[in-house]
Amino acid sequence: MANTGDIIKVDFVGTEKETGVIFDTSSESKAKEAGIFNDKIKYSPLVFIVGDKEILPALEEEILKMKAGEQKEINLTADKAFGERNPEFIKVVALQEFRNRNINPFPGLVVELNNLSGRVQSISGGRVRVDFNHPLAGKNVMFDVKVLENVAESKAKAELLFSKYFDFLDKSALSIKDKEATVKIPADKGMQSVHAIKVKRLFARKLMKITNIEKVTFQEEFLKTDKKGKEDEEQDTDE
């Protein structure tokens, strides 16, 4: 039985119960078969921390009853999945609001307004009707889940959490000594943006919460490896 702070790794396929339409999956091949493949997504097993509210509570509850290697179908009614549809979440927005944002709305367009994601339903008389309900609100869903790992040991949790947040880095970029973790990041990986800084902070916070690690250090590495690097150095000198 998994405990709070453990990490569970699963493969899954999420399906609308009534229609049989797949809406999400950890499998690239199944995403392509279902016609929902997105080349901006890296398909890989879902990794989540028990008790950290990273997945649907009712789904987590059922997964916690499973053992590593076990596979089963988990059925969730709308109220335990993405909630019932709420008429109050359907708003009428002035067309000018979209024009101010250089957006040309049309039915079906997914938009972000005031930190909310919604789908345009209709446009009429200078007004745009937008549905801010979750796309799966009011739908019963089914998850075909296979538990791959249930990790409780501190070092193993650190490595799995690292692979979740820094899947673009080699595993050797993470080193752990006593109660300190160090992540070496090549300078060309561009980890200086606001988003990247938030990712690093989130990783560090979660890592120290669920393991015995008390300090996390990020090291940016500059390597003299190729001709391009020399050209960049000459350009900086000229400027």
Side-chain angles (χ1 to χ4, degrees):
M1 187 73 177
N3 298 306
T4 298
D6 287 355
I7 293 183
I8 296 181
K9 182 177 180 180
V10 303
D11 267 330
F12 75 94
V13 177
T15 306
E16 291 183 27
K17 188 68 175 178
E18 285 74 15
T19 64
V21 173
I22 293 176
F23 60 83
D24 196 9
T25 178
S26 59
S27 167
E28 180 176 324
S29 61
K30 291 187 182 300
K32 289 179 177 178
E33 289 175 8
I36 62 170
F37 176 73
N38 185 340
D39 59 8
K40 295 181 180 179
I41 294 177
K42 183 173 182 178
Y43 290 87
S44 60
L46 171 66
V47 173
F48 68 93
I49 299 172
V50 175
D52 223 29
K53 299 179 180 180
E54 295 182 339
I55 65 173
L56 295 171
L59 177 60
E60 179 176 306
E61 182 181 347
E62 292 301 316
I63 291 177
L64 293 184
K65 300 175 183 177
M66 301 170 63
K67 299 177 181 179
E70 185 178 352
Q71 182 172 356
K72 73 175 182 180
E73 291 185 358
I74 299 173
N75 292 283
L76 301 180
T77 55
D79 60 310
K80 292 186 177 181
F82 299 95
E84 300 289 356
R85 287 187 60 78
N86 187 341
E88 294 183 2
F89 290 168
I90 299 176
K91 305 291 184 182
V92 175
V93 183
L95 179 59
Q96 188 59 45
E97 179 70 19
F98 289 87
R99 290 174 174 169
N100 292 341
R101 299 167 184 256
N102 294 317
I103 299 174
N104 182 28
F106 56 86
L109 176 68
V110 176
V111 295
E112 293 284 340
L113 293 175
N114 300 321
N115 296 319
L116 293 174
S117 178
R119 187 179 298 273
V120 174
Q121 289 187 321
S122 61
I123 305 166
S124 178
R127 297 184 299 175
V128 181
R129 184 183 173 92
V130 184
D131 185 357
F132 289 102
N133 280 286
H134 189 283
L136 293 168
K139 298 181 182 295
N140 300 323
V141 299
M142 185 272 288
F143 290 92
D144 183 2
V145 177
K146 181 176 183 179
V147 175
L148 303 177
E149 291 184 71
N150 182 350
V151 181
E153 191 272 324
S154 184
K155 185 173 184 293
K157 287 198 289 186
E159 293 172 344
L160 201 53
L161 198 63
F162 170 79
S163 67
K164 175 180 180 178
Y165 286 95
F166 301 99
D167 60 356
F168 55 91
L169 296 178
D170 188 86
K171 292 182 179 179
S172 62
L174 171 69
S175 60
I176 299 174
K177 184 177 181 182
D178 298 326
K179 295 184 178 182
E180 181 175 352
T182 301
V183 179
K184 295 181 179 180
I185 303 176
D188 63 356
K189 294 300 182 181
M191 291 296 290
Q192 297 83 30
S193 68
V194 173
H195 173 70
I197 292 173
K198 288 181 178 180
V199 170
K200 289 188 285 189
R201 287 177 177 173
L202 182 61
F203 167 75
R205 179 177 63 79
K206 287 182 178 286
L207 183 62
M208 290 187 284
K209 179 181 178 181
I210 66 172
T211 69
N212 63 352
I213 291 173
E214 298 177 354
K215 180 180 179 181
V216 180
T217 302
F218 293 93
Q219 294 181 351
E220 188 175 27
E221 291 190 326
F222 292 85
L223 301 175
K224 184 177 180 179
T225 57
D226 56 19
K227 183 178 179 181
K228 184 179 185 302
K230 294 179 181 179
E231 291 174 348
D232 290 342
E233 183 177 338
E234 292 172 358
Q235 184 176 359
D236 291 341
T237 303
D238 292 340
E239 293 176 352

